[in-house]
Amino acid sequence: MNNLEDRIQALIAQAISTRDSADLDGIIRQLRAALHEHANRLRKLAASRLVVNSSIEGSADHIPEEPAAGNDIGTE
């Protein structure tokens, strides 16, 4: 992901330093595309971590917490 982050930083620097509005339009298009790609990568990363965490919580080795003291649910 570093190359993408480097590209985003370079595009930001170009956008700040350019004086030509035609160049700026092209730079902004590239920057938006790079930011969109970055957001998609982060979504995929977050989704993969959710899947991993869900599978860990649902494993047979996972022991649920005891109900809090004084919780009489299911007892009569």
Side-chain angles (χ1 to χ4, degrees):
M1 191 175 339
N2 243 358
N3 290 335
L4 180 57
E5 291 175 7
D6 292 343
R7 191 168 93 217
I8 290 169
Q9 291 296 325
L11 288 166
I12 291 169
Q14 286 178 340
I16 291 170
S17 66
T18 192
R19 300 287 180 234
D20 184 1
S21 64
D23 287 344
L24 182 60
D25 288 341
I27 293 168
I28 295 298
R29 273 195 299 283
Q30 292 177 50
L31 181 56
R32 282 184 175 181
L35 290 170
H36 182 76
E37 183 180 343
H38 184 64
N40 284 337
R41 287 183 184 184
L42 291 176
R43 280 187 199 99
K44 288 178 184 178
L45 178 64
S48 70
R49 294 211 176 167
L50 285 173
V51 169
V52 168
N53 287 339
S54 293
S55 65
I56 290 172
E57 289 175 1
S59 71
D61 295 334
H62 179 72
I63 301 170
E65 292 182 22
E66 292 285 326
N71 185 352
D72 294 332
I73 297 176
T75 60
E76 293 184 25

